[in-house]
Amino acid sequence: MKINNIIQDTFGRKHDYLRISMTDKCNFRCFYCMPDEKLSFYPNSKLMSADELLNIAKTFVSLGVKKIRLTGGEPLLRKDAREIISRLSNLPIELAITSNGYLLDEYMELFKEIGLQSVNVSLDTLDADKFFNITKRDYLGKVLSNIKLFIDNGFRIKVNMVALKDVNIHEIPDFIEWTRNEEVHVRFIEFMPFNGNSWDFSKIVSYKEILKIVEGNFEYDRIEDAKNDTAKNFRIKGGKGTFAVISSVTDSFCGSCNRIRLTADGRIKNCLFSNNELDLLTAYRKGEDIEQLIFQNIESKFKERGGLPEFEDIKKEEDLGKGRCMFAIGG
Ligand code: SAM
Ligand code: SF4
C-alpha cells in the first residue's frame, strides 16, 4: 500500500528495513541452511548486477527504507562486493552486513572507511570438531580470530547462534560466559523450518528453555530492546557484552515486522516464510515501474508467518509450500 509514498501493508506495518541477498553462493555448508550439498546455484546472469542492485536499492530508499542489511549466501564472496558495499554506503541509510566471518579481515579497512560498524557473524559452536560437523569446513580458528579483530577495532559484533537440541544446547552457557569480559553480543536463534532442512519442532531450543539454562547458571538482567528488534535482550551482571534470544518460532514478532527481503536474483519477498515472490529484476530489465510492484507485493503480505500454519502444526515438508532454502533467501 502506498501511504505518503511509504511502504505500508494492510495491517498498518511500515516497511523501512530491506535485507538484500548479494549471492546464493556460500563457502560454508551449514546443514540446517544448505541441506543439499549438491544444489545448483544461480548463474551470474540471473543475479542482480552491481548497477541493478544499486538502482533497485535506491528505489526502496526513495520509498522510505532507512536500513539495508547485506546477506546471502555469503555476501563477501561476491567478486564485486567491495564496489557494491562502497556504493550503497553513499545512500542515506544505515548499512549493515551478516556474514559467516571467514573473509571479514579482508574487508575491515573498507568497512572502517565507509563507516559500516554493525556486523553480524554466524557461529554455532566454539568446538572445532563440531564446527566442522555443522559447516563442513575447518574454519573455526579463522572465524574466531576475525571476530576478535573486529571487536578490538571497535565494531559492534553480534554473534548469531542457531540453537539445536542435539547439536549445541550444552554450549549455551559458554556463549553467555563469552559476553562477561568481551564486548560481544550473542544472539540465540530458534531453528526455523525451510525446505529440505529436516526441521522438527522438537529440535528447537526454545526461548523458555534458553532462559531456564541461563537462570541455572547466571545472574542477569533483562535490558531494553531497540525499536522493531526481533531479539529479547539480556546482560549478565557486570557483563561487558549482552546476550539475546530471537524467538522466531515460539514467540514470533510478526506484529512489528518492518522487513522486506530482496533475493540475489532480484525477487521481492515480503516475509521469510512467504511463497509469494515477485520478480522485480525482470520488470526492472524491461523498464517497468517497479515502485508499483513493490507496493503490490507488500499489500499481499500475510499477518503472520507468510501464511504458513502455526509452527507446532507443521508436520511434513509439504506444509511449507515450495519456499526457498535459507541460503537462497538470506535470513
Ligand atoms: N552466510 C551468512 C551467515 O551465515 O551469516 C549470511 C546468510 S545466513 C542464511 C543468515 C543467517 O541465517 C545465519 O545467522 C544463519 O545461522 C541463519 N539461518 C540459516 N538457516 C536457519 C534456520 N533454519 N533457522 C534459523 N536460522 C537460520
Ligand atoms: Fe552459508 Fe550462512 Fe547458510 Fe552457513 S548459514 S551455509 S554460512 S549462507
Side-chain angles (χ1 to χ4, degrees):
M1 206 181 290
K2 184 177 182 172
I3 296 184
N4 297 331
N5 224 29
I6 282 179
I7 313 165
Q8 191 165 315
D9 71 5
T10 53
F11 304 97
R13 294 174 291 199
K14 294 187 177 72
H15 290 67
D16 58 6
Y17 177 16
L18 176 67
R19 298 171 69 99
I20 303 179
S21 171
M22 283 172 48
T23 176
D24 57 341
K25 296 170 193 69
C26 189
N27 47 350
F28 286 20
R29 291 289 179 275
C30 306
F31 70 85
Y32 54 77
C33 171
M34 204 183 277
D36 178 356
E37 291 180 54
K38 294 185 202 84
L39 281 171
S40 51
F41 299 99
Y42 291 115
N44 287 345
S45 61
K46 290 254 182 197
L47 301 186
M48 292 180 285
S49 68
D51 282 344
E52 287 167 342
L53 189 152
L54 257 295
N55 286 332
I56 294 175
K58 276 184 194 163
T59 304
F60 277 101
V61 174
S62 75
L63 299 176
V65 162
K66 294 191 172 58
K67 175 172 177 180
I68 293 181
R69 176 172 295 280
L70 299 172
T71 174
E74 175 49 39
L76 300 179
L77 264 191
R78 224 179 122 139
K79 293 211 165 49
D80 53 3
R82 273 169 207 285
E83 180 197 341
I84 293 174
I85 294 168
S86 301
R87 289 173 67 190
L88 281 173
S89 74
N90 293 322
L91 299 180
I93 47 151
E94 178 191 342
L95 186 61
I97 192 161
T98 300
S99 163
N100 61 31
Y102 185 73
L103 294 169
L104 274 179
D105 50 330
E106 296 176 24
Y107 287 84
M108 191 174 78
E109 290 312 318
L110 172 68
F111 289 2
K112 279 186 178 173
E113 238 168 70
I114 62 170
L116 190 163
Q117 289 180 323
S118 165
V119 182
N120 290 4
V121 183
S122 307
L123 177 65
D124 304 316
T125 177
L126 300 170
D127 174 281
D129 292 336
K130 217 180 274 177
F131 186 93
F132 183 83
N133 290 338
I134 294 171
T135 65
K136 309 286 181 299
R137 298 293 183 269
D138 199 7
Y139 295 159
L140 176 65
K142 178 87 188 289
V143 172
L144 282 176
S145 71
N146 278 348
I147 291 175
K148 179 94 179 101
L149 176 73
F150 269 60
I151 293 173
D152 290 348
N153 277 273
F155 287 85
R156 182 173 170 81
I157 296 291
K158 292 184 193 161
V159 169
N160 289 344
M161 189 258 221
V162 178
L164 290 153
K165 280 253 165 68
D166 296 328
V167 179
N168 53 7
I169 183 169
H170 300 297
E171 291 193 65
I172 289 173
D174 298 338
F175 273 80
I176 295 176
E177 192 54 46
W178 193 10
T179 69
R180 190 183 298 280
N181 298 316
E182 195 84 85
E183 221 174 304
V184 63
H185 305 279
V186 170
R187 304 180 328 153
F188 301 107
I189 305 178
E190 289 179 349
F191 177 40
M192 292 182 279
F194 293 98
N195 288 76
N197 77 353
S198 307
W199 182 87
D200 192 301
F201 198 86
S202 68
K203 292 181 183 170
I204 298 170
V205 185
S206 69
Y207 172 48
K208 279 192 183 145
E209 287 169 297
I210 291 172
L211 277 195
K212 230 185 224 166
I213 294 170
V214 180
E215 274 159 19
N217 289 281
F218 300 96
E219 276 187 60
Y220 66 97
D221 294 311
R222 177 83 165 88
I223 57 174
E224 210 178 312
D225 308 326
K227 188 174 168 243
N228 294 113
D229 197 350
T230 53
K232 298 172 177 77
N233 293 276
F234 304 86
R235 188 192 296 276
I236 54 175
K237 295 268 186 221
K240 271 187 162 178
T242 62
F243 67 96
V245 185
I246 303 186
S247 54
S248 359
V249 175
T250 63
D251 184 14
S252 66
F253 22 78
C254 299
S256 60
C257 183
N258 64 341
R259 296 163 176 228
I260 307 171
R261 292 177 165 82
L262 185 63
T263 63
D265 58 328
R267 286 164 191 261
I268 178 173
K269 235 179 140 58
N270 60 30
C271 172
L272 200 47
F273 300 107
S274 164
N275 289 314
N276 175 11
E277 298 177 358
L278 204 151
D279 185 356
L280 285 188
L281 180 59
T282 301
Y284 174 85
R285 285 180 178 173
K286 285 185 187 157
E288 290 172 12
D289 176 6
I290 65 164
E291 272 192 19
Q292 284 319 311
L293 296 176
I294 293 170
F295 289 125
Q296 194 182 313
N297 180 267
I298 298 299
E299 207 165 320
S300 70
K301 180 160 173 158
F302 282 91
K303 190 173 177 204
E304 292 173 321
R305 297 179 301 281
L308 287 189
E310 294 278 353
F311 288 115
E312 271 184 282
D313 296 334
I314 294 176
K315 302 285 179 235
K316 48 188 188 320
E317 181 93 26
E318 298 88 81
D319 294 337
L320 291 171
K322 52 177 175 31
R324 297 173 181 236
C325 292
M326 187 63 135
F327 71 91
I329 306 173

